[in-house]
Every structure is written in C-alpha cells, then in structure tokens.
Amino acid sequence: MPIPLIERYRDRLPLEPGDPIVTLCEGSTPLIEAPVISERVGARVLLKLEGANPSGSFKDRGMTVAVSRAAGAGAEAVICASTGNTAASAAAYAARAGLRGVVIVPEGKIAIGKLAQALMHGARVIALRGNFDQALEIVRALADRHPVELVNSVNQYRIEGQKTAAFEVAEELGEAPDALAIPVGNAGNVTAWWRGFGELSRAPMLYGFQAEGAAPLVRGVPVPEPETVASAIRIGNPARWEEAMAAFTSSRGRVEAVSDGQILDAYRLLASREGVFCEPASAASVAGILAHGLAAPPDHPPPETVVCVLTGHGLKDPDTALGKAPAVIGCEAELEAVERAAFAG
Ligand code: AN7
C-alpha cells in the first residue's frame, strides 16, 4: 500500500500540527517507459500514471492536503467548480472527512464516470447551465458568503499537494527529467509541478498543451466559449494564467495547442500500443510532443528524457472511448461460431 502523500512529504507541506490526515493513500503513482512513443519522438519518454490515484486523477494529491487543512480549520463543507475530476476527488475526500461536499459542473459537459463518483460519494451535484469559467466565478463568490472551503486549485493547499508529483519523478529518475509534457486547463497543475521542481536543484523545460478550441494561453486572450472533446480541459479563462505563463518562460519551454483529432489519435495510441488507458485530456501531453516535437531554444540541448503527465484514468469517460473504438462482435453460443468470430479474417 502506498504511503499517504502527506506522510511521505510531511516536512515539505504546510499543514498545522493538529490537522487530521484525510487520506486515501494517494500519490506514489507509477512512472513507466513508453517504448512506442519514445521511438516516434526520438527521446526516452516516460508516462506518469496519475490515473492510478484513488479517485482516478491527479486531483487527489491536492485534495488530501486541502481537505486535511479544511478539516483542521473546522470547515463543515467543501465546494468547487469542476469539469469533473475535481468534483470526484473533492466528493471522495469530503466523504472521508465527514464534511459536506457541493460541486458545480457544466451541465452535460462532464464525463459520466466523474458524475457517478461525485454522486456516489454523496456530494450535492449542481449542473450549471453555463461553462466551467462561469461556475468558478460563482463558487468564488459563494465561498466569500458562506463558511465553506473552496477546493479549486485557487486554493494554495491544492498546489502544495500537487507539487509532490515532481518530487516523486525526480526521486525515481535520480534528477528532474529534461522536459515535462502536461495538459493545461485551469493551469493549477503546471503551476504545482513547477513549484515542486523549484524546490529541487534542477528543473525541466515545460511543454504545456491545450486543446485547440480551448487554448487561451496559446492565443493570449480568454476564450468565451471553449470547446473540445477533452472535457476536462474545456476551460477558457485559467485561474493561474500568469503563474503558468511565467513557468513556461522561466523553464524555457512553451505552451501550444493540439487539435481534437491529435488528442484522440494519441489517446488510441496510448491504449492500443502502450497498454495505458487515460482520459482524452491526459492524452494531450502525448499528442503535443507527437505533433510539435521536442524543440529547445538554440542554445539549449534537445531533451533526452521526457515525462508525459497522464492526469486521469480512461475509465472516467467510457462514452468517448466507446464512440472511438471498434464494434464488439456478437456471436451464437456454439464452438464453431465463436472460433470463426475469434480467429477468422
Ligand atoms: C484529466 O476537474 O479543472 O491545468 O475541474 O481533469 O490544473 O486545470 C480538471 C483539469 C488535466 C488540467 N487533465 O489541469 C476540474 C479540472 C485532467 C483534468 C486537467 C484537468 P489544470
């Protein structure tokens, strides 16, 4: 069983001595080689499987810290706006801590697995007739008016917890990789990884990837009506805009867009050739290096080791998977018929 992230990195996390540790044994996720993708980009590519966290996404790293602190501070409820994974994670940790959870999601725009999680954990789920950016604006105002803890990544404890992913990668490789490829939505996670590497001796170039229809950081202006198949990153006005841009610049990296087609190709490639089923938003990290290569500034050597962050599990979004997968083969319960179905052609 993995050691709870708060115990593993207690001395680097800002909890108070009396805070309870609200944990589901998050963190310590696998970092695995990706031979097929490595071959295609001409560098050693590793995948950090954040879908292996308890609720199936990287959000658990931040949530264990944010909910522990909220419980320690005497909060009775946690609230968030979410494209799905934050909602699932907040609901799980709220249940664990005995707190009420309220999650606001864009109606009809979150993957079905995430909705099932939030409901099963007993959160109050509110489907907003609007998008994530509007939901975040509303929960920020609500958190000012009620004694609830806001657990979006505007919450510092979320970022502090999520920075531990950088510690794990650096520990495992012996040092930070040359580059880190990461999907970008509200820009909390890239901010967190950058902070984590900043507390170590060496930092990678950051390659951030947004979906083409939801790429405010690439365009340099907010996108009022973001659209993408990668519903987790359907965000038009990231809360951590300035910090993320500062991180890309100081790391000498870049932020670029990938099309939905490129995202879905990488999603299928990861599942069918590497054996890794992630959600579409996560595949943006791999789509990005396949589409844009591993460019470095002229006075900088090209990266030899690249870590792609696969932020969430593929089971979160069965609808997208089934919509893109080959059909199942129906068959009578007879040996010859099954034999034909299994091996013919
Ligand atoms: C799988 O759940 O914003 O750039 O409300 O679920 O830190 O926002 C999710 C974001 C990448 C982007 N991959 O991270 C939410 C939410 C997955 C995600 C991102 C999200 P940020």
Side-chain angles (χ1 to χ4, degrees):
M1 189 167 67
I3 307 166
L5 170 161
I6 290 177
E7 281 174 27
R8 187 167 169 186
Y9 296 111
R10 180 91 203 203
D11 55 337
R12 293 187 247 179
L13 294 170
L15 287 167
E16 301 298 324
D19 288 345
I21 298 181
V22 182
T23 179
L24 294 163
C25 283
E26 51 296 305
S28 306
T29 56
L31 180 68
I32 69 167
E33 302 283 342
V36 175
I37 297 159
S38 298
E39 169 84 34
R40 292 208 186 173
V41 301
R44 180 185 179 203
V45 176
L46 298 113
L47 310 172
K48 180 70 167 159
L49 305 188
E50 290 290 275
N53 277 296
S55 85
S57 85
F58 70 96
K59 305 285 181 181
D60 295 347
R61 291 181 185 276
M63 213 54 78
T64 182
V65 181
V67 174
S68 294
R69 182 77 273 278
E76 285 168 13
V78 298
I79 192 168
C80 67
S82 180
T83 57
N85 279 323
T86 301
S89 183
Y93 285 82
R96 187 84 183 165
L99 305 179
R100 280 184 297 116
V102 180
V103 305
I104 321 247
V105 300
E107 187 177 51
K109 295 291 187 180
I110 83 165
I112 202 78
K114 303 171 187 179
L115 190 59
Q117 289 178 286
L119 290 167
M120 278 301 288
H121 289 305
R124 186 176 291 200
V125 178
I126 298 167
L128 193 79
R129 293 181 198 104
N131 62 31
F132 169 84
D133 303 287
Q134 293 166 303
L136 183 59
E137 211 177 298
I138 290 168
V139 291
R140 285 178 128 163
L142 281 177
D144 285 340
R145 288 158 64 154
H146 294 268
V148 294
E149 197 62 37
L150 179 61
V151 293
N152 279 105
S153 60
V154 295
N155 180 317
Q156 280 301 324
Y157 298 99
R158 281 276 314 278
I159 303 297
E160 287 292 314
Q162 286 172 213
K163 77 182 178 187
T164 60
F167 300 162
E168 288 176 16
V169 166
E171 275 173 45
E172 203 152 326
L173 296 178
E175 60 176 356
D178 300 323
L180 184 87
I182 184 169
V184 179
N186 213 24
N189 207 27
V190 67
T191 301
W193 278 84
W194 185 242
R195 189 179 296 178
F197 286 122
E199 294 179 15
L200 304 170
S201 53
R202 182 173 182 266
M205 282 191 288
L206 297 179
Y207 297 147
F209 298 108
Q210 299 202 290
E212 210 166 70
L217 299 183
V218 180
R219 316 252 173 265
V221 285
V223 175
E225 289 177 18
E227 263 323 327
T228 168
V229 68
S231 59
I233 52 172
R234 186 174 166 272
I235 294 175
N237 192 11
R240 296 222 178 235
W241 186 306
E242 286 78 18
E243 277 163 284
M245 291 313 293
F248 291 125
T249 307
S250 352
S251 80
R252 313 199 66 202
R254 58 221 162 88
V255 57
E256 280 172 304
V258 282
S259 69
D260 280 3
Q262 289 167 335
I263 289 173
L264 292 172
D265 285 347
Y267 172 64
R268 272 186 295 247
L269 179 73
L270 278 160
S272 65
R273 302 294 307 282
E274 302 285 13
V276 175
F277 189 24
C278 66
E279 64 174 289
S282 307
S285 59
V286 169
I289 61 168
L290 290 173
H292 298 286
L294 301 172
D299 61 337
H300 194 293
E304 288 174 10
T305 301
V306 183
V307 169
C308 292
V309 187
L310 298 188
T311 44
H313 203 288
L315 290 172
K316 294 267 189 179
D317 189 358
D319 293 337
T320 300
L322 291 171
K324 303 295 159 196
V328 295
I329 303 162
C331 190
E332 296 308 319
E334 289 163 10
L335 177 62
E336 283 72 25
V338 177
E339 194 168 37
R340 261 195 315 278
F343 304 115

